[in-house]
Amino acid sequence: MIQNKVALITGGSKGIGYGVAQALMQKGVYVAVTSRSEGAAKDAAKKLNESVSTEAKAIGIAADVRDFESQERAVAAVLSQFGQLDIIIANAGLGRFGSIENLSLEDWHDVIDTNLTGVFYSIKAGVSALKASKGYFISISSLAGTNFFAGGAAYNASKFGVTGFTQAIMLDLRQHGVKVSTIMPGSVSTHFNGNEPNEKDAWKIQIEDIGKLVVDLLEMHPRTLPSKIEVRPTMPPSKK
């Protein structure tokens, strides 16, 4: 049973993070969603509270995963509000794409600092709380974390790193009763990289599908740990 557990979801104001938050709340999990923008975080929490009929509540927190002290404050805010932290979903991420000749230093650092270092900061800030609750840490990697492509040097590096980092800390933390998994989605209908979700995205994984997957992981018998999950659209887009 995950009812009355408490989850912190980075980058939870839209996209995959929002879909996971909604799925968890429908199971009675209290959630904190973060965004770099306080307004976006608060607006998302308001929408979640209005859309979910369980007693679980959402709060919005302004936090930047690139800043360790910001992540520490987010964890402290969750503990202050709810008294516990059982689940961390390290979801915040972005993409900058281009050949190595054109990839700027700023773009490289923005991708690595957000997608990879941000995952490190998220678990580092919350590890004591998860050890206390014998909780669960889930990172959102990507199929780009095992499949490289032209123009993806920064993004591939960040997601290959997330996949490897999460698998390594899984081995560290299971000794303390903390479960760790990484989810590696393919194409998801989100606002990622300037996309605007619409009916043409129907072939893609939907955010509620990732939410269901997270719920399934959390509800699985504790003797079993799916530590790395690849998920992709069943069929590619129609050529018609």
Side-chain angles (χ1 to χ4, degrees):
M1 288 288 292
I2 60 174
Q3 185 176 3
N4 296 324
K5 300 288 189 182
V6 176
L8 171 62
I9 304 170
T10 67
S13 65
K14 60 184 179 181
I16 289 174
Y18 186 89
V20 170
Q22 197 165 45
L24 291 178
M25 288 182 70
Q26 288 166 350
K27 287 287 187 173
V29 176
Y30 292 78
V31 304
V33 293
T34 74
S35 171
R36 294 181 191 177
S37 163
E38 182 174 12
K42 301 288 188 186
D43 287 347
K46 183 174 183 292
K47 284 173 56 182
L48 286 164
N49 286 323
E50 291 171 349
S51 68
V52 177
S53 60
T54 65
E55 293 184 1
K57 300 300 179 187
I59 61 170
I61 301 172
D64 186 341
V65 296
R66 300 171 300 178
D67 180 339
F68 180 61
E69 291 183 354
S70 181
Q71 283 304 99
E72 287 187 309
R73 289 192 295 270
V75 169
V78 173
L79 293 172
S80 175
Q81 178 72 28
F82 298 120
Q84 66 193 70
L85 177 56
D86 306 287
I87 304 156
I88 297 176
I89 311 292
N91 164 74
L94 53 80
R96 300 281 186 268
F97 302 97
S99 74
I100 190 61
E101 298 107 319
N102 302 320
L103 185 66
S104 71
L105 298 181
E106 181 182 6
D107 284 346
W108 170 266
H109 286 294
D110 203 18
V111 172
I112 297 298
D113 292 350
T114 302
N115 295 4
L116 179 54
T117 305
V119 173
F120 167 63
Y121 285 168
S122 296
I123 184 58
K124 192 69 174 176
V127 67
S128 294
L130 290 187
K131 284 169 67 177
S133 65
K134 296 194 182 300
Y136 211 132
F137 179 80
I138 298 173
S139 68
I140 305 298
S141 184
S142 168
L143 289 182
T146 193
N147 300 288
F148 50 83
F149 55 90
Y155 191 69
N156 282 144
S158 72
K159 292 302 188 180
F160 269 71
V162 169
T163 301
F165 172 79
T166 309
Q167 293 298 284
I169 66 168
M170 177 269 293
L171 298 177
D172 294 337
L173 294 179
R174 66 179 179 175
Q175 310 299 328
H176 302 283
V178 177
K179 293 184 177 180
V180 176
S181 299
T182 189
I183 298 173
M184 305 169 67
S187 299
V188 183
S189 178
T190 69
H191 294 86
F192 182 77
N193 200 34
N195 182 62
E196 189 65 35
N198 57 61
E199 65 278 0
K200 293 181 180 179
D201 283 349
W203 66 274
K204 296 180 180 179
I205 300 165
Q206 302 299 304
I207 59 174
E208 59 266 28
D209 302 334
I210 304 297
K212 174 66 163 56
L213 179 55
V214 169
V215 168
D216 288 346
L217 281 174
L218 296 173
E219 290 187 333
M220 185 165 289
H221 195 286
R223 65 175 168 248
T224 301
L225 177 63
S227 57
K228 183 170 70 173
I229 302 97
E230 294 189 7
V231 57
R232 51 181 47 79
T234 302
M235 293 291 289
S238 172
K239 301 296 184 183
K240 294 180 182 179

